[in-house]
Amino acid sequence: MLYHPDKHRDPELKSQAEQLFNLVHQAYEVLSDPQSRAIYDIYGKRGLDVEGWEVVERKRTPAEIREEYERLQREREERRLQQRTNPKGTISVGIDATDLFDRYEEDYEEISGGGGGLPHIEINRMHISQSIEAPLTTSDTAILSGSLSTHNGNGGGNINLLLPSAIFYATVGPLVFYLAIQRLVIRPYLRAQQEQELEKQRESSASDIAKKKQEAEAAVLLMQESVRRIIEAEESRMGLIILNAWYGKFVTDNSRKHERARVIDVTVPLQCLVKDSKLVLTEASKAGLPGFYDPCVAEEKSLKVLYQFRGVMHQVLCGDTEALRIPKQSHRIDNDS
């Protein structure tokens, strides 16, 4: 009702309401379809984005949907791993069949005279090699390869680790070598890769964040009249008034004061959710609430609320996915503090 275009006369607000109402319509389409709703109930929006659902039978139980989802996820992971590791391998086998062909030179009588039998054929040589690639960063890849060879009962093998920048030239014991590589090369590379991926994620989601921010700001504008009525009703009964509310990354550790807090004001959206002097939020990321957006993607976020109930000040800080129910006596601010 809040986002219905017919509820707004102002042309600009009406246009913004239409955009937000379309999102409500999309949600309705998901929740009104039994299969889509079952997928969403189990896995959330990410479940609906899994490739392959379009060919799944429509009539499925929740257990069958869960099994199908896990199968599709495994297949996607296998494809991703195959693309990342690029495994290659060869197997060559040498067979000694001299006895088989030498018999053609013998007389038939000698073969059938009792000294024959099946010809003797043996594998006298075998070579197996395998290699996999381990992408460390977008520009560097480690290659782990190994080979095993045998010839007439004697054999040997080797394992090689080829890094983009060769920094080890000496041969050490397998365990020491592994630990050294893991500590000095792999971990730093992985940390650098994680930082690069996080930065890329921020860059790639910048346009999406801008869109979500615009939607949130539009929602807040549409909420103004409703919030005014809610506040009037709550004030008349000395009920729940949201004085200030912030959502995002807070810096409370003195050792991290150099980091910049990234929060957004969500006072209006929270007040709009107040009903009968109560506010209840479920266990889910609050970035999806009306009037909210994610101000710091892939970082830990919290919700801080300063509110008044029965004329008394209260304050609470909760995690992004924690459930929240206010008012509570434990949130009350001591007058002496």
Side-chain angles (χ1 to χ4, degrees):
M1 294 295 292
L2 179 65
Y3 297 150
H4 199 288
D6 294 344
K7 294 290 182 182
H8 304 278
R9 296 181 179 179
D10 183 275
E12 183 178 350
L13 291 180
K14 190 179 184 72
S15 174
Q16 293 172 340
E18 288 175 351
Q19 296 177 17
L20 294 173
F21 195 76
N22 286 335
L23 297 178
V24 177
H25 179 66
Q26 292 172 14
Y28 174 79
E29 288 183 334
V30 171
L31 299 179
S32 60
D33 178 70
Q35 188 194 32
S36 297
R37 177 159 191 156
I39 296 170
Y40 184 84
D41 287 344
I42 298 172
Y43 300 106
K45 189 181 178 193
R46 64 187 176 90
L48 298 171
D49 296 334
V50 173
E51 182 182 354
W53 281 125
E54 60 274 6
V55 297
V56 177
E57 294 179 17
R58 305 300 294 175
K59 296 181 180 179
R60 294 253 178 162
T61 65
E64 290 172 332
I65 289 173
R66 185 185 298 273
E67 182 180 350
E68 185 66 17
Y69 175 84
E70 292 174 352
R71 183 187 68 80
L72 291 171
Q73 285 287 71
R74 284 196 303 270
E75 290 181 355
R76 186 169 68 174
E77 280 298 309
E78 289 172 0
R79 289 195 300 268
R80 187 185 67 83
L81 185 62
Q82 184 83 6
Q83 292 170 351
R84 286 176 62 88
T85 58
N86 191 25
K88 299 177 182 177
T90 60
I91 299 177
S92 60
V93 178
I95 299 177
D96 184 358
T98 305
D99 191 35
L100 174 64
F101 294 101
D102 282 351
R103 292 199 168 201
Y104 287 106
E105 300 176 2
E106 298 175 0
D107 292 333
Y108 176 78
E109 291 80 6
E110 293 180 0
I111 297 176
S112 59
L118 293 175
H120 178 67
I121 299 176
E122 65 176 357
I123 297 175
N124 63 1
R125 179 179 58 82
M126 180 179 293
H127 177 79
I128 302 174
S129 65
Q130 180 74 32
S131 69
I132 59 172
E133 297 178 359
L136 303 175
T137 67
T138 55
S139 57
D140 296 321
T141 301
I143 301 175
L144 181 65
S145 64
S147 63
L148 176 67
S149 300
T150 65
H151 184 70
N152 293 331
N154 298 316
N158 64 79
I159 298 177
N160 300 312
L161 178 63
L162 178 60
L163 295 172
S165 300
I167 58 174
F168 294 96
Y169 298 98
T171 303
V172 295
L175 180 59
V176 176
F177 179 76
Y178 170 77
L179 293 175
I181 291 293
Q182 182 78 3
R183 183 173 186 138
L184 300 176
V185 180
I186 302 299
R187 288 181 184 175
Y189 266 121
L190 292 178
R191 279 196 298 267
Q193 183 183 29
Q194 289 173 353
E195 292 175 0
Q196 289 183 4
E197 288 179 352
L198 180 58
E199 187 62 30
K200 280 190 173 182
Q201 186 178 357
R202 290 172 182 159
E203 293 175 358
S204 63
S205 60
S207 59
D208 185 57
I209 293 174
K211 180 182 176 182
K212 295 292 184 185
K213 180 180 179 181
Q214 183 180 9
E215 291 174 355
E217 291 173 347
V220 170
L221 286 176
L222 297 173
M223 292 174 183
Q224 296 292 340
E225 183 60 28
S226 295
V227 167
R228 185 185 62 79
R229 293 196 299 267
I230 292 172
I231 291 176
E232 287 179 355
E234 292 298 321
E235 285 178 340
S236 67
R237 64 169 73 107
M238 291 188 69
L240 177 59
I241 305 295
I242 307 297
L243 300 176
N244 289 108
W246 304 271
Y247 172 67
K249 179 183 178 181
F250 295 87
V251 179
T252 56
D253 188 349
N254 290 332
S255 63
R256 299 168 57 193
K257 286 294 184 182
H258 65 283
E259 296 185 21
R260 183 170 57 90
R262 294 194 292 276
V263 298
I264 58 174
D265 189 326
V266 292
T267 306
V268 171
L270 280 189
Q271 186 70 64
C272 195
L273 295 174
V274 172
K275 185 176 182 180
D276 298 329
S277 299
K278 294 184 179 65
L279 174 64
V280 180
L281 302 180
T282 59
E283 293 181 349
S285 175
K286 294 164 182 59
L289 292 173
F292 282 62
Y293 67 94
D294 192 341
C296 43
V297 175
E299 295 191 59
E300 188 175 346
K301 291 172 284 292
S302 303
L303 174 65
K304 186 175 183 180
V305 185
L306 178 67
Y307 65 94
Q308 182 176 296
F309 180 70
R310 298 289 187 257
V312 179
M313 300 289 287
H314 295 68
Q315 183 172 282
V316 61
L317 178 69
C318 72
D320 185 28
T321 58
E322 292 180 17
L324 177 64
R325 185 182 182 90
I326 60 175
K328 273 191 176 182
Q329 182 70 21
S330 59
H331 300 164
R332 183 168 175 163
I333 299 175
D334 190 347
N335 292 331
D336 297 332
S337 62

